[in-house]
């Protein structure tokens, strides 16, 4: 990296929901920002945990046996192999960290294509 990355500025470059943007990489992982609103389908990541940090708004991380609600500045990690979905009742901004190539829906055929911010 040659300079600091301003996540708010990166989020200002797009309007689409559920379409993560990679802002940097480290050790084979993508650091991404995404805008979400509504719900993403139930899915599982068999090979990796799923990291969520709320930058703006509120996010429900629903699992079959519980729901974890995250506010600004809060983090939750869904362990690999746990079925889950995310729900945002209003537009919410997130920071995601995942191994490069991890499909956001758990299925490469339905996942958002990798985009750089």
């Amino acid at each position: 990296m040659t300079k600091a990355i301003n996540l708010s500025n990166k989020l200002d470059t797009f309007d689409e929901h559920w379409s993560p943007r990679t802002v940097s990489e480290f050790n084979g992982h993508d650091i991404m920002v995404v805008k979400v609103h509504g719900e993403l389908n139930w899915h599982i990541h068999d090979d990796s945990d799923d990291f969520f940090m709320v930058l703006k708004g509120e996010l429900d991380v629903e699992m079959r046996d519980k729901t974890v609600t995250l506010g600004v500045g809060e983090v939750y990690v869904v362990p690999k192999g746990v079925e889950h979905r995310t729900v945002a009742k209003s537009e919410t901004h997130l920071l995601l960290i995942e191994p490069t190539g991890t499909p956001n829906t758990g299925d490469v055929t339905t996942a958002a294509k990798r985009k750089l911010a």
Side-chain angles (χ1 to χ4, degrees):
M1 291 180 74
T2 58
K3 61 181 181 173
I5 297 169
N6 184 299
L7 299 178
S8 293
N9 289 348
K10 293 294 186 181
L11 284 156
D12 287 343
T13 66
F14 64 95
D15 294 317
E16 300 92 351
H17 293 131
W18 306 107
S19 184
R21 300 302 201 276
T22 300
V23 298
S24 188
E25 300 174 357
F26 81 104
N27 297 330
H29 288 68
D30 288 338
I31 299 173
M32 300 173 285
V33 292
V34 64
K35 294 179 180 180
V36 299
H37 188 208
E39 59 189 50
L40 191 62
N41 62 299
W42 286 97
H43 63 282
I44 295 173
H45 299 279
D46 290 322
D47 300 320
S48 66
D49 300 330
D50 213 354
F51 172 96
F52 300 94
M53 179 178 184
V54 174
L55 303 173
K56 174 184 172 186
E58 186 175 273
L59 183 73
D60 289 333
V61 181
E62 296 181 351
M63 290 149 283
R64 294 296 184 181
D65 63 341
K66 67 180 176 180
T67 297
V68 176
T69 300
L70 302 175
V72 173
E74 294 184 314
V75 169
Y76 187 74
V77 178
V78 177
K80 67 181 174 182
V82 173
E83 188 176 25
H84 64 283
R85 72 176 181 170
T86 49
V87 179
K89 295 176 181 109
S90 61
E91 184 172 272
T92 298
H93 299 175
L94 306 174
L95 176 73
L96 309 174
I97 301 174
E98 296 180 342
T100 299
T102 300
N104 67 327
T105 61
D107 180 349
V108 295
T109 62
T110 60
K113 302 296 180 209
R114 185 173 189 256
K115 296 179 183 179
L116 302 178

